[in-house]
Amino acid sequence: MPRKYPARLRRSESFLGVHFDFHASDDCTEVGKTVTPRMIEAIIDAVGPDYLQTDCKGHRGLSSYPTKVGAPAPGFVKDTLRIWRDVTARRGVALFMHYSGVWDTEMVRRHPNWARVDEAGKAGDDSTCVFGPYVDELMIPQLKELCDVYGVDGVWVDGDCWAVKPDYNPLTLEKFRAETGIQNVPHTKDEPHYHEFLQFNREGFRRYVRRYVDAMHAHNKDFQVASNWAFTSFMPEPVSIGVDFISGDYAPSDAVNSARYEGRCMAPQGKPWDLMAWGFSRKGRENCYVTKSVPQLQREAAVVLALGGGFQAYFTQNRDGSVNLWQMEVMGEVARFCRARQKFCHQAVAVPQIALLNSTAGFYRHKPSPFGGGPAAVRGTLQALLAGGQSVEILNEHHLRGRMDEYPLIVVPEWEHLEKPFIDELLAYANRGGKLLIVGPGATALFAEPLGIASAEAPESRDCWVEHEGRLGGMVTRCQKVTLGGKAKAFGKLYLSNNISGKTQIAASIARCGKGRIAGVHFDFGERFSQAATPVTRDFLNAMVRELFPEPIVELSGSHLVDVSVNRIGGKLAINLVNAAGPHDSDKTLIHDEIPVLHGLELTLRLPGKPRKITAQPGNRKLAFKYAAGKARVKLPPLEIHDVIVVE
């Protein structure tokens, strides 16, 4: 009789995992030499994961198992994938494959006609052509081999959307001309129809992913597929392909800011999602990898957990495919931290407060490549809002259409292109009583009439100083001198020198818009704040937010170093507080092992009735509170890394 193994969680049910890869290359001549079943057992014993992800084909294109379909690594001592599958199946742990998709150096070398061709007509830069035969002749057969021969649970396709570049392969150009009718193919962003050419490349990638996802689901309905970074900040659009989950590996350095942003881009997409921390850091592109500390990884995990996502961490494998087990002791402590919070966080849903627009139309109109990381303007604006204690969701047009009224405030951060129907819907929302905050000269130009801008000079990049409560915060950014009409009122001053008695111009303005209000910031804020934050500029933006949105559900006092995320889980209000103190954004500090504890924090909660109890989780710590006039005031215990305040 076939052996009966424990049931394994599907990715939609999973919360915690560990990722391993080593991108097998020509130096991998003894794959499996020191890999043993006990090694995999030790990982599972130390971490207790729901799933493991391990290498099968990296960017070099050589497979780290003895494939009969693709190009195997030079030498094998053991079939390591068989060991991983046998142990994980016996222990009831799901096994996913790290598989490099579009990026495949070996297949480009062997099949030059499969390669992406650059604008100069040169092929062979590691990326395959998404319109070519690679997906049918290698990728799908190899995924079927992994499914049928090894019985793996699914695949995490790396090097996919972010490896796509504008492609001038003759096959691509033939299809572009035939499908669009455009005969003169543009080669630079300044030529006509370059946007249409990029959009065609994007659609080619969607077809490629849909091809392998649908093929694998038809082959085995239980096989689970994700394309790394598809339908995230790198590809901010509705999920139009039947992927089973969405996932990505956020930046190894400045990881807190990366996770803050990336998690908020994934959370509203309606799919199971997780984010992967790198378990190590490095300086630039140096190959000296340094394993992160337990507190460092716990805090990176906390940012993800606070948004309702699953968490995994990435550790490299040695050149024979073995794992450094001492690192699993680190991951084990991180795992225990996560498990203690799982029932208070996993798959929680955000309570609408502030919506920060990540425009699909604006992203694709100005992005010089088909896909890639999101704009600094959105990241910087998010960081400033979080430093003001705001609970923020990042939403695309497809998330906001038809449900804007759920959000007391919508922020449009420096988008210079929005589609007119969406602008009309934003203004209709404001007319019904909603509040809009439009940031930057490019964005305010789209709303000049409702903002009450009578005239505006051309934006100018220069040194300027924002004033707030008698102090000046300097920045080098693009600002615009505006004259306001009668319905708009100035908000704040922008100084042209670091002199409180010097020349000024209007920093921002607020106008009535039907039953609501619309405000404009007349300088680019977010991109500069992401690189050069100051307390004055932070406080200026949040003062505007308070003017437009004076009564949030949650107000935090006592620190600007706490991320606040207001969620619901199991019918209860769950306020996640993440300690963002310490040098997590410094490129001079690779590893930090101490996060300063925050004391003296207080919460004010606006609630329809007096709560039965308020607790700090994990640990079920009952908190004293005072309730009057619809507000509960709570003094919080010291915040080490992450607490969830649960209101019942």
Side-chain angles (χ1 to χ4, degrees):
M1 290 180 62
R3 187 168 181 178
K4 182 82 171 170
Y5 288 122
R8 301 186 290 273
L9 293 179
R10 290 187 63 79
R11 198 58 171 253
S12 59
E13 306 164 302
S14 297
F15 172 69
L16 182 69
V18 191
H19 173 99
F20 303 95
D21 68 50
F22 64 109
H23 294 272
S25 190
D26 304 276
D27 61 338
C28 295
T29 58
E30 296 182 305
V31 176
K33 181 178 181 180
T34 65
V35 177
T36 65
R38 181 59 204 141
M39 179 179 291
I40 317 305
E41 294 274 6
I43 297 168
I44 296 172
D45 290 341
V47 180
D50 297 324
Y51 62 90
L52 294 174
Q53 283 179 187
T54 189
D55 192 87
C56 74
K57 179 171 81 75
H59 301 328
R60 172 65 179 82
L62 299 181
S63 297
S64 56
Y65 70 99
T67 179
K68 292 181 170 55
V69 176
F76 293 87
V77 176
K78 299 171 191 169
D79 184 346
T80 60
L81 182 49
R82 177 61 61 198
I83 296 172
W84 283 87
R85 176 71 287 181
D86 287 348
V87 175
T88 54
R90 188 168 66 249
R91 295 293 298 270
V93 175
L95 182 64
F96 290 82
M97 294 291 94
H98 168 258
Y99 185 101
S100 188
V102 168
W103 186 349
D104 190 316
T105 305
E106 183 65 18
M107 289 303 117
V108 166
R109 186 186 69 81
R110 294 188 182 195
H111 304 278
N113 61 312
W114 291 11
R116 173 252 177 183
V117 175
D118 69 16
E119 59 277 3
K122 181 182 177 183
D125 73 341
D126 301 323
S127 296
T128 57
C129 169
V130 295
F131 292 97
Y134 165 81
V135 66
D136 287 309
E137 295 192 21
L138 175 77
M139 188 174 185
I140 292 172
Q142 195 160 35
L143 295 182
K144 288 180 178 178
E145 177 184 53
L146 292 165
C147 175
D148 298 346
V149 176
Y150 291 92
V152 303
D153 294 276
V155 63
W156 190 89
V157 181
D158 196 5
D160 230 18
C161 74
W162 56 268
V164 176
K165 302 171 187 174
D167 182 18
Y168 295 85
N169 184 296
L171 183 60
T172 303
L173 301 187
E174 179 185 353
K175 290 180 180 293
F176 175 70
R177 291 186 175 107
E179 294 186 24
T180 67
I182 299 169
Q183 299 305 305
N184 295 323
V185 179
H187 286 67
T188 70
K189 63 182 179 61
D190 298 320
E191 295 179 58
H193 305 301
Y194 192 71
H195 173 66
E196 289 81 358
F197 184 62
L198 289 186
Q199 290 287 69
F200 184 76
N201 278 264
R202 290 169 184 134
E203 179 56 25
F205 175 74
R206 295 184 197 105
R207 295 177 190 176
Y208 146 85
V209 176
R210 190 174 292 114
R211 179 77 178 139
Y212 70 72
V213 169
D214 290 351
M216 291 310 299
H217 286 162
H219 182 71
N220 183 331
K221 64 181 177 59
D222 293 324
F223 192 84
Q224 300 159 76
V225 185
S227 173
N228 181 21
W229 289 121
F231 308 112
T232 69
S233 71
F234 285 62
M235 189 178 167
E237 60 183 62
V239 179
S240 58
I241 300 167
V243 293
D244 295 280
F245 61 101
I246 57 178
S247 182
D249 52 322
Y250 56 81
S253 302
D254 197 14
V256 169
N257 282 324
S258 183
R260 285 166 156 175
Y261 172 68
E262 304 298 352
R264 284 173 173 81
C265 291
M266 289 183 177
Q269 283 286 57
K271 282 284 184 180
W273 66 277
D274 62 69
L275 269 171
M276 179 197 299
W278 285 36
F280 53 91
S281 192
R282 64 186 180 190
K283 181 70 173 178
R285 302 301 298 178
E286 293 175 2
N287 288 323
C288 183
Y289 293 175
V290 187
T291 303
K292 290 178 178 176
S293 72
V294 169
Q296 190 171 2
L297 283 170
Q298 286 175 335
R299 199 242 305 273
E300 291 181 23
V303 174
V304 177
L305 305 190
L307 301 173
F311 178 74
Q312 56 173 317
Y314 160 36
F315 299 88
T316 58
Q317 292 168 264
N318 299 312
R319 303 317 290 160
D320 72 341
S322 59
V323 171
N324 297 313
L325 289 178
W326 78 267
Q327 295 172 328
M328 295 302 97
E329 297 175 10
V330 172
M331 187 59 195
E333 292 191 52
V334 176
R336 287 187 284 277
F337 173 92
C338 293
R339 291 294 190 194
R341 289 156 174 79
Q342 181 173 354
K343 68 179 180 180
F344 308 108
C345 298
H346 192 216
Q347 300 179 344
V349 177
V351 175
Q353 291 287 274
I354 296 176
L356 180 62
L357 176 65
N358 191 33
S359 169
T360 302
F363 180 92
Y364 284 152
R365 177 64 62 173
H366 294 289
K367 192 75 179 173
S369 58
F371 305 106
V378 182
R379 294 169 179 261
T381 304
L382 173 67
Q383 290 167 27
L385 292 172
L386 293 177
Q390 314 294 345
S391 182
V392 185
E393 291 178 75
I394 294 178
L395 302 174
N396 305 117
E397 288 94 336
H398 66 279
H399 301 126
L400 282 168
R401 287 189 188 102
R403 57 184 294 256
M404 291 183 184
D405 291 344
E406 297 176 27
Y407 290 88
L409 176 63
I410 298 175
V411 181
V412 179
E414 296 166 50
W415 292 109
E416 299 190 5
H417 173 84
L418 298 174
E419 294 172 341
K420 188 177 184 303
F422 187 71
I423 293 174
D424 292 342
E425 189 171 349
L426 286 170
L427 292 174
Y429 152 83
N431 274 292
R432 292 191 301 270
K435 311 299 191 301
L436 288 173
L437 177 56
I438 315 298
V439 182
T444 57
L446 303 176
F447 297 85
E449 193 281 327
L451 280 167
I453 298 174
S455 64
E457 297 182 3
E460 178 186 10
S461 294
R462 58 163 300 146
D463 297 359
C464 58
W465 287 261
V466 182
E467 185 273 334
H468 181 70
E469 295 185 345
R471 298 193 177 190
L472 302 184
M475 53 173 49
V476 181
T477 193
R478 190 177 63 150
C479 54
Q480 184 175 47
K481 186 176 182 179
V482 301
T483 302
L484 302 177
K487 71 175 187 178
K489 293 185 178 180
F491 186 98
K493 297 177 181 179
L494 201 62
Y495 283 76
L496 306 184
S497 65
N498 194 13
N499 183 350
I500 205 74
S501 60
K503 291 182 179 180
T504 67
Q505 59 192 51
I506 296 168
S509 59
I510 301 178
R512 284 283 172 192
C513 187
K515 296 180 181 179
R517 301 170 85 188
I518 182 170
V521 176
H522 303 298
F523 58 92
D524 283 337
F525 176 93
E527 185 167 0
R528 184 59 178 170
F529 193 89
S530 72
Q531 300 297 320
T534 71
V536 172
T537 52
R538 172 201 69 203
D539 292 345
F540 173 83
L541 186 71
N542 284 285
M544 288 206 77
V545 169
R546 286 195 300 275
E547 179 71 20
L548 296 168
F549 180 30
E551 295 189 343
I553 290 176
V554 174
E555 287 185 77
L556 176 78
S557 62
S559 178
H560 290 289
L561 300 174
V562 181
D563 286 7
V564 178
S565 299
V566 182
N567 298 334
R568 287 199 183 279
I569 188 166
K572 300 173 184 176
L573 193 66
I575 299 126
N576 285 259
L577 306 174
V578 178
N579 181 346
H584 60 80
D585 57 353
S586 171
D587 62 0
K588 302 292 193 297
T589 304
L590 289 182
I591 308 298
H592 55 276
D593 61 356
E594 185 175 349
I595 298 171
V597 178
L598 300 178
H599 298 267
L601 303 178
E602 294 189 19
L603 279 183
T604 299
L605 311 176
R606 289 182 172 85
L607 303 169
K610 183 178 180 180
R612 184 170 58 86
K613 67 176 179 177
I614 300 176
T615 55
Q617 303 290 355
N620 200 32
R621 294 161 284 162
K622 191 172 182 179
L623 302 180
F625 64 91
K626 294 180 180 179
Y627 182 83
K631 297 178 183 177
R633 289 184 168 84
V634 189
K635 291 186 177 181
L636 299 175
L639 180 62
E640 295 183 3
I641 297 178
H642 175 218
D643 281 344
V644 186
I645 309 304
V646 178
V647 182
E648 301 181 55

